[in-house]
Amino acid sequence: MGELFRSEEMTLAQLFLQSEAAYCCVSELGELGMVQFRDLNPDVNVFQRKFVNEVRRCEEMDRKLRFVEKEIRKASLPLMDTGENPEVPFPRDMIDLEASFEKLENELKEINTNQEALKKNFLELTELKHILHRTQQFFDEMEDPNLLEESSALMEGNEGGRGAPLRLGFVAGVIGRERIPTFERMLWRVCRGNVFLRKAEIEDPLEDPATGDQVHKSVFIIFFQGDQLKNRVKKICEGFRASLYPCPETPQERKEMLAGVNSRIDDLQMVLNQTEDHRQRVLQAASKTMRVWFIKVRKMKAIYHTLNLCNIDVTQKCLIAEVWCPVSDLDSIQFALRRGTERSGSTVPSILNRMQTKQTPPTFNKTNKFTSGFQNIVDAYGIGNYREINPAPYTIITFPFLFAVMFGDMGHGLLMTCAALYLVLRESRLVAQKSDNEMFSMVFAGRYIILLMGVFSVYTGLIYNDCFSKSLNMFGSGWSVRPMYGPRGANWTAETLDGNSVLQLDPAVPGVFGGPYPLGIDPIWNLATNKLTFLNSFKMKMSVILGVVHMLFGVSLSLFNHLYFKKPLNIFLGFIPEIVFMASLFGYLALLVFYKWTAYDAFSSREAPSLLIHFINMCLFNYGDPTNRMLYRGQMGIQVLLVLVALACVPCMLVVKTLVLRRQHLWKKHLSQTREEPAELASADFRAMFPTDVSSDLVSSPRRGKSQQS
């Protein structure tokens, strides 16, 4: 259990991996998840490392898989996830995976290209069908004598009133419905009113082959006279991206063309259905293994990325790696290296060598599914130093309890408990579903935190007698409006209640039971106008007590860190002044709360002094306030002493400790200088004993100096 209350003991280890076994060994270490690799090539560019080509190949395979996944999601097909954790494929299997992904990608691209071309052709035929159908209606309407006479008069009036017979040309096409008003105004202005436009909406939306969106279009036919107007009309249609289609002039030709278009549409629809069925079969087959492929490719990429952190020896036959790992898991790491060596088929075992280092190891705390949520809360505020006490186990109790003190509702706490209990009991099924909802994932990760918060909230709700912001009358109220014995209760009658719309409950009036409420707060307080005054006073005092205890406990934990790291300076100039300062001020305030509860009862509480005013006067040395009398005999002397002790702790923490640390630093610096001076003096004496040329030879080359001296 020592690892639970303190971070794991870490060690720096050196790994010697054979080139043919390095891939499998790193794979086994990755599955174990107990090592942290160090980068031994910090000065080498990412693109100049040994396994950069393999990383790029994995990235390319990952890109192809993302393309296939996008197509699967576009087709609204579910991705099969069996929860399988596949093994990492061997490096030689990368070629087969690349070939499979390349084939799948090319097949999908070819299907998409053909399908887009078929949909485009289908769209053109559909638009032509609507044009032929609507055009026939336009010409049938034009056979009306009144309408024909009106259009002829319009065209003749625009041509200057000439009586020559008109030979009108026309173009027909399809345009987006939202562009019709602008299109019509542009035709009128450019052609100066010398064209005749008829339009009709297509009821059914058409599918855009490029984007797959549903668009609404309209059929139009434009009558004009002359080639000049014809060119203008075609340019305007081209500018508005209107599709023009050939339309025969005679009804018989239009009828024959419409029959041919309908036949081609039926044939094309059958081909489109077959193409879509084939695409669905390909995507369904890919969706069954998509998750497994993703895991394999990303594991391979992680392995090659880790191998790029290793150093390669001169012989190119061995990879050298440095890892941080827990001391308690060294046997598991060596067993994983042995499995990786056997899996690769190598006969040379991998070597793990512990190294001595002065570097500070990383902080590592082992967690499980219950403690991981609380550890994440602690790490969110800051990760502790190496081998410090881990506050997460204590947070398992303090965090939900302090939440419940603030929440304090039995009904809502019961709902939280039921919801969290559902997540806990069905966690295996919910984990297998692997929901992508970020909000649900966050709530599911904290299911045990929510469970404890709900349980503690039920308890504090019972203490507060608060259920959905309402009080529960479980034992019957201890308050009565009947006349009581004594001067305080004799005036409480039914007439008093009827004649007063606002009444404050007096705790000094004895109740029916003649004692305190059995559990929690009397429900009659929920009806009183001074409810907040009573409850806020109660909750404030309780919060002060809990807060002081919590702070003192947190500071006390630092003592174990100072003892473990053997830092007496932090104990005498850090921990002791901190604990004395907090106990002198805030601890004394908590004791005053308990003393006031025991020294005054409901009848004498009106004469009790205010603790808030007492604490303020204590810090300001103001003892001449006649409205706030003392709680006990000798209070002034004790409070003055406590404030002076607290004030004396401040310079001890801020000034004395700083001066002592500075003196230690200067002393170490002085010792390092004194150690260097004898070496320099010895070197100077040595040079003075010999000539310049001989001394230089002796220093540069000892062997040559000996030969010259001999």
Side-chain angles (χ1 to χ4, degrees), residues 451-505:
L451 178 62
L452 290 181
M453 289 193 302
V455 172
F456 281 109
S457 296
V458 172
Y459 168 74
T460 55
L462 286 173
I463 298 300
Y464 296 161
N465 198 359
D466 195 358
C467 180
F468 296 113
S469 299
K470 297 294 182 182
S471 296
L472 299 179
N473 193 1
M474 296 180 289
F475 305 100
S477 175
W479 185 269
S480 177
V481 298
R482 293 179 300 173
M484 296 294 173
Y485 296 102
R488 295 185 181 272
N491 295 328
W492 286 95
T493 61
E495 290 76 10
T496 304
L497 293 178
D498 295 336
N500 294 274
S501 59
V502 177
L503 283 177
Q504 292 188 352
L505 298 182

Side-chain angles (χ1 to χ4, degrees), residues 593-608:
V593 173
F594 283 108
Y595 179 80
K596 185 178 178 181
W597 282 345
T598 56
Y600 295 90
D601 56 7
F603 298 99
S604 59
S605 61
R606 296 180 182 273
E607 303 172 358

Side-chain angles (χ1 to χ4, degrees), residues 60-115:
E60 181 65 18
M61 288 191 291
D62 191 50
R63 182 196 63 78
K64 295 175 181 177
L65 289 178
R66 290 198 304 270
F67 167 74
V68 178
E69 184 185 25
K70 180 181 177 182
E71 295 296 323
I72 292 174
R73 295 188 183 279
K74 189 185 296 184
S76 302
L77 294 176
L79 291 173
M80 302 295 293
D81 188 5
T82 59
E84 179 186 0
N85 185 18
E87 293 185 355
V88 181
F90 290 100
R92 59 177 177 269
D93 298 334
M94 186 184 293
I95 300 176
D96 297 336
L97 288 176
E98 286 179 328
S100 301
F101 299 158
E102 183 74 21
K103 180 181 178 182
L104 181 59
E105 183 189 26
N106 292 336
E107 186 176 4
L108 283 176
K109 285 184 176 179
E110 184 178 358
I111 292 174
N112 291 341
T113 303
N114 295 336
Q115 193 176 33

